Amino acid sequence: METPSSLGIPFVASNSQQSFRLLELPPELLELINSERPTLTLKSASPGPSPPGGNTSQPHAVLCTENKTFEVRQVQSSNSIYLLSPTSYASPPRETLTDSALSIVGTSQATLELVPVTLSAIPFLTQAIPTYSGAADGDGDLENMSGGSNLSKLEVKADVPFSDAEFAIAWKHIVAFELDGAAMKPTPVALYAAWKAILCAATSEGIKLQNGFSLPQLLTVMEEDEQPQPLVEAIITRVSTDAVTARLDKSKSIPWIGILILKLHQQLNSSLSVNQFLQEWKDQVLSEWVQDISLDKIQGLFTCPTPQTIKFNDNNVDSIEGKNTTKSKSSNPKAGKWHEKFRHTTNR
């Protein structure tokens, strides 16, 4: 009677073990990696305190696509994870490598998982660059009020742990610009002065900002002003219809100017009545838009300490459209994890 052959697979261990770190990819990243020319960037923030803004925390390392950011987290495992490779071996009494087997070439006690980051890049960028406070005696007065260094835009982008697209949104939102090769963010006082200069120049030359206009023409008109051209360009970009057309967008311009006025009075530490605010707001928008001024345009971005006064809502200081930033959390941290799926499968 013949002895039945073993149905098992020989299992051996390699003498030289290799170091591995397993990375679990979300479906969208797996699809990107399998695309023709994937672009991924591994970034980390420069050492320093977490930016202001409540419960926001700074990711240690992130993996970025062109428009999304994923926090890299290490997950320890109580189980041994073996990395296997097909090999051949000689079963006694043979001496030639004729039998197929699996060889352990490495082990891993932890995996890396990628969690989508839902934080805004605004507080990180705001903390990373110094402040432009405006012209003083004809010269730009640069004050490093936020603790940032005089880095270029490209250097700042390399240190802000967000994708290029998210960085660009934050850069545009805070009206950041480069001055003499250094990235700057203007204070409300500097922004207000520059905006008034833009309105004055456009009015004197009959430039209709709500229509398609020539940005070079506007810059030429403002050459004698003390405002840096990069700042003027950043303001026009912030409130224009798109990144290409120089045409002020009413839905962007009206709330931006209203919030700018509130931030201005906050910086100056001056009280502001509701009626005074509405009148100043109307004075600083295009005449064609005065009838559209109302508090509901900035809903959630202001508070009223008294029925007669108004101030900027600090709780939304780091938001893009008035939504509070919250710490990145996975709605179901175990959902979709391959090691959880494997455990549930083996327990059936």
Side-chain angles (χ1 to χ4, degrees):
M1 182 175 179
E2 296 184 4
T3 302
S5 60
S6 173
L7 299 179
I9 299 176
F11 200 58
V12 297
S14 173
N15 289 330
S16 58
Q17 296 288 298
Q18 303 180 43
S19 298
F20 288 93
R21 189 60 58 91
L22 298 180
L23 177 64
E24 182 182 353
L25 294 176
E28 57 187 303
L29 275 181
L30 182 59
E31 182 180 353
L32 176 62
I33 288 179
N34 289 328
S35 63
E36 184 176 350
R37 303 185 68 177
T39 300
L40 293 173
T41 306
L42 191 62
K43 302 176 68 176
S44 63
S46 297
S50 296
N55 60 350
T56 59
S57 62
Q58 188 165 282
H60 294 291
V62 295
L63 186 68
C64 300
T65 66
E66 293 181 352
N67 57 8
K68 286 188 178 181
T69 303
F70 297 84
E71 182 179 358
V72 181
R73 295 180 181 176
Q74 179 170 278
V75 180
Q76 297 291 335
S77 174
S78 59
N79 300 319
S80 296
I81 302 174
Y82 295 102
L83 282 300
L84 307 177
S85 177
T87 188
S88 299
Y89 87 114
S91 58
R94 296 192 298 272
E95 296 182 358
T96 58
L97 302 177
T98 57
D99 295 335
S100 297
L102 289 177
S103 174
I104 303 175
V105 296
T107 60
S108 177
Q109 297 299 321
T111 59
L112 298 176
E113 65 177 11
L114 301 176
V115 180
V117 173
T118 58
L119 298 174
S120 166
I122 292 174
F124 296 87
L125 178 58
T126 300
Q127 180 177 265
I129 57 180
T131 301
Y132 174 79
S133 59
D137 299 327
D139 297 320
D141 180 21
L142 305 183
E143 295 182 354
N144 196 341
M145 297 173 62
S146 63
S149 301
N150 292 337
L151 303 175
S152 68
K153 180 180 179 180
L154 287 178
E155 290 171 323
V156 171
K157 183 166 66 172
D159 286 340
V160 175
F162 287 88
S163 67
D164 288 354
E166 292 165 311
F167 177 87
I169 291 173
W171 179 272
K172 176 181 176 181
H173 178 78
I174 67 173
V175 201
F177 64 102
E178 278 188 297
L179 184 63
D180 297 329
M184 292 284 148
K185 62 177 183 292
T187 63
V189 169
L191 270 178
Y192 190 76
W195 174 250
K196 290 182 68 175
I198 291 172
L199 284 183
C200 181
T203 302
S204 64
E205 294 297 320
I207 299 175
K208 298 295 184 181
L209 297 176
Q210 72 274 28
N211 300 329
F213 64 93
S214 170
L215 181 57
Q217 179 189 0
L218 178 64
L219 295 175
T220 300
V221 173
M222 298 183 64
E223 282 182 350
E224 296 183 359
D225 288 316
E226 298 176 344
Q227 306 303 327
Q229 285 194 356
L231 174 57
V232 175
E233 293 175 347
I235 292 175
I236 296 300
T237 300
R238 174 65 177 85
V239 294
S240 286
T241 303
D242 52 57
V244 178
T245 306
R247 178 189 295 114
L248 299 197
D249 187 310
K250 180 167 67 173
S251 63
K252 295 179 181 178
S253 301
I254 288 178
W256 180 78
I257 296 168
I259 292 304
L260 174 58
I261 294 170
L262 292 179
K263 288 184 175 181
L264 170 70
H265 286 271
Q266 182 186 57
Q267 182 183 349
L268 298 176
N269 198 26
S270 59
S271 60
L272 186 65
S273 70
V274 175
N275 291 336
Q276 178 188 355
F277 165 65
L278 290 174
Q279 184 58 54
E280 188 172 357
W281 194 0
K282 292 176 181 179
D283 291 341
Q284 296 305 321
V285 301
L286 304 184
S287 58
E288 294 84 356
W289 297 347
V290 169
Q291 68 275 9
D292 295 299
I293 298 298
S294 63
L295 291 179
D296 62 352
K297 294 291 192 301
I298 54 173
Q299 190 66 40
L301 296 172
F302 68 91
T303 59
C304 292
T306 70
Q308 291 79 31
T309 59
I310 189 171
K311 63 177 291 188
F312 179 66
N313 182 6
D314 290 303
N315 292 331
N316 284 320
V317 68
D318 297 327
S319 69
I320 292 182
E321 298 298 342
K323 299 177 182 177
N324 287 323
T325 54
T326 56
K327 187 175 181 179
S328 173
K329 293 182 179 180
S330 174
S331 58
N332 185 359
K334 293 185 178 181
K337 306 303 179 191
W338 68 268
H339 42 81
E340 292 293 335
K341 293 180 179 179
F342 180 79
R343 188 184 69 179
H344 294 324
T345 303
T346 54
N347 289 339
R348 290 178 182 174

